[in-house]
Every structure is written in structure tokens, then in C-alpha cells.
Amino acid sequence: MRRNALVGGLVLAASFVTLAFLALPVIAVFARVTPARLVSQLGNPVVTDALLVSLKTTLAAQALILVLGTPAAVVLARRFRGREALVTLVELPLVLPPAVAGLGLLAALGRTGLLHTSIPFTQGAVVLAVAFVASPLYIRTAIAAFEAVDANIVAASRTLGAGPVRTFFRVVLPLARTGLAAGAALAFARGLGEFGATIMFAGSLQKVTQTLPLAIYAEFEVNFDVTLAISALLVLISAAVLISLKLTSLWQPSEQTSPSRFARLSWS
């Protein structure tokens, strides 16, 4: 009994320490920034400029991810030789150090890079950096969502005379919408907080490429209150994304890991 009580006490203590460790930094931000102070700082030019750049570039990157990532996920949801290697390639940016991702983009798309472009240090560079680091979250979730689509329902649509395009938009897409929306939300939140790849590939120019995370870095030694206010704003946005996923039942990782049925289906 004593041993069980000791083990139970250690488990509770470890749980408390873990939860406190995760919650304390967030609590500390809001302990230093009152709601009134946060609202007042939203009028600071550094904050407003960074917010506008962040929203503009993140939404553009999100559109790019959805338009190009969805077809890629459809292809990768099927089984074929070399699929795992391609999925690993999609997942690679998730584990790359952000600075390496930015340097890679610079080496590929810089003036002296492989493609010799003038994209670096423009808003386009921010969009590409955000898309590079955030797209794996969407594509990987979308792959799982398409894999979970019941092949029998899709086959029934084809039997009733619907072509592959109509079947995709009228049957497959609605059935996969939950996973797609979850992946899009996670990619948006990840893109909004991107720092390393952006500063390496796009720099930190106010009104041009300085996003909210870059503004935090720039203002850290200039105005700590502004830094805390921006941090609090990002915490609120991130929390809003998570809460919205919870409330709309979109946060369902356990349902996205079932064996592929869609993968065995041919639309041709």
C-alpha cells in the first residue's frame, strides 16, 4: 500500500510539474500585459505594420498551400511504388531547423542560387517561407483525411454515372472536409508563428517583410512592453485556433490514422 501510494504521489507530482511548466510561460506573458495595455499597443505602428504583413503573407501562403497541397495529398493518399519516399520528403520540413529551411530557400531562389531569382527579401519570400514550413502540416493531415474516405461510397458515385472530377468535388471532398479544415487551421497557426526561415530568406524590414514574430525579435531590446503585447496577441490567436478546432470537433487525430481505403481506389 505504501509503495502504491508513493508511486501515485510521484505520478501526481510529475503531472503537476509538467502542467505548471507548460502553463507558466503563458501565464507570465499575461501577468505582465494587462488587457488595457494590450489593446493600447495594438495602435503602435510596429504592431500594426507587423500584423498587416503577417495576415497578408500568411493568407497568401495558406491559399498556395490549399491550391497546390490538396492535389498533392490526393496523389499521395494512393498506394504506389516510391510513395513512402515522397511522403517523407513532404514531412522533412517539419523536422528541419527553421534556419536551415530559410538558408535552403535562399540557396535555391536567391540571386546567386540555383534558379537566380529576385524573390529574397520581398513579401513573396515571406509567403514562400511560410508555405514551406507550414504546408507539411496540411498535406500530411489531408493525406490521412483522403485515406479515411470510404472507397465503397466513391465507387457507388462512379457506378451512378458521376465522373472522377464530379466524384471528387461532390463526394470525396465533402467526406474529407473535417480533416482538411483541421490541417488548414494548423498550417495557418504554424505559418503565423514562423520565424527562422522567414528571417533568413526574407529579412526583417518593417512594412515589407517584418511579421509579428520578427517584430518580437526586433523590439526585444527596444520596448519590452511591445514585445510582450505582440506575444500576448500571438498566444490569443493560437489559442483561438485550438479552441475553434475543439468546439467544431475538427481536432480528431485518432480518426485520421485508420488504414487507407481511398488509397486502393482508382478513379480512372
Side-chain angles (χ1 to χ4, degrees):
M1 292 295 293
R2 289 183 178 179
R3 183 177 181 180
N4 290 339
L6 178 61
V7 172
L10 290 175
V11 170
L12 288 175
S15 301
F16 175 79
V17 170
T18 301
L19 293 174
F21 174 73
L22 294 175
L24 189 60
V26 177
I27 294 172
V29 169
F30 288 96
R32 291 287 301 271
V33 181
T34 63
R37 181 64 176 169
L38 174 60
V39 172
S40 68
Q41 289 297 332
L42 293 179
N44 188 303
V46 173
V47 179
T48 55
D49 291 341
L51 180 59
L52 289 174
V53 171
S54 286
L55 290 177
K56 182 178 179 180
T57 55
T58 304
L59 289 174
Q62 189 79 349
L64 192 64
I65 290 170
L66 293 177
V67 171
L68 299 181
T70 304
V74 171
V75 172
L76 294 174
R78 304 180 184 185
R79 300 292 178 180
F80 55 88
R81 188 184 299 273
R83 172 186 180 271
E84 292 304 322
L86 294 177
V87 171
T88 301
L89 180 63
V90 168
E91 296 170 338
L92 187 59
L94 289 174
V95 296
L96 276 180
V100 174
L103 186 62
L105 288 169
L106 193 60
L109 302 174
R111 294 182 184 276
T112 59
L114 294 178
L115 299 183
H116 306 287
T117 72
S118 57
I119 294 175
F121 308 106
T122 65
Q123 281 195 0
V126 181
V127 173
L128 292 181
V130 170
F132 183 80
V133 300
S135 59
L137 287 171
Y138 173 75
I139 296 174
R140 196 63 188 87
T141 307
I143 291 172
F146 287 129
E147 285 180 338
V149 172
D150 192 337
N152 293 324
I153 298 176
V154 181
S157 174
R158 295 302 311 278
T159 301
L160 292 173
V165 175
R166 186 177 182 185
T167 296
F168 176 75
F169 284 103
R170 298 294 296 273
V171 178
V172 176
L173 209 56
L175 289 175
R177 67 183 183 277
T178 295
L180 298 179
L186 292 174
F188 178 81
R190 174 66 183 88
L192 199 61
E194 162 52 31
F195 175 82
T198 304
I199 198 169
M200 292 292 293
F201 186 48
S204 181
L205 305 173
Q206 189 174 349
K207 295 185 178 182
V208 182
T209 64
Q210 189 177 87
T211 59
L212 288 171
L214 297 182
I216 291 175
Y217 180 77
E219 291 295 310
F220 182 71
E221 294 184 357
V222 178
N223 190 332
F224 194 60
D225 284 344
V226 172
T227 301
L228 285 173
I230 299 173
S231 300
L233 181 61
L234 284 172
V235 169
L236 291 174
I237 294 173
S238 300
V241 171
L242 285 176
I243 292 171
S244 64
L245 287 173
K246 298 280 187 179
L247 293 178
T248 56
S249 301
L250 296 181
W251 186 263
Q252 301 171 349
S254 61
E255 295 182 10
Q256 302 297 334
T257 56
S258 58
S260 171
R261 293 171 290 176
F262 175 84
R264 299 192 295 271
L265 181 69
S266 173
W267 293 358
S268 58

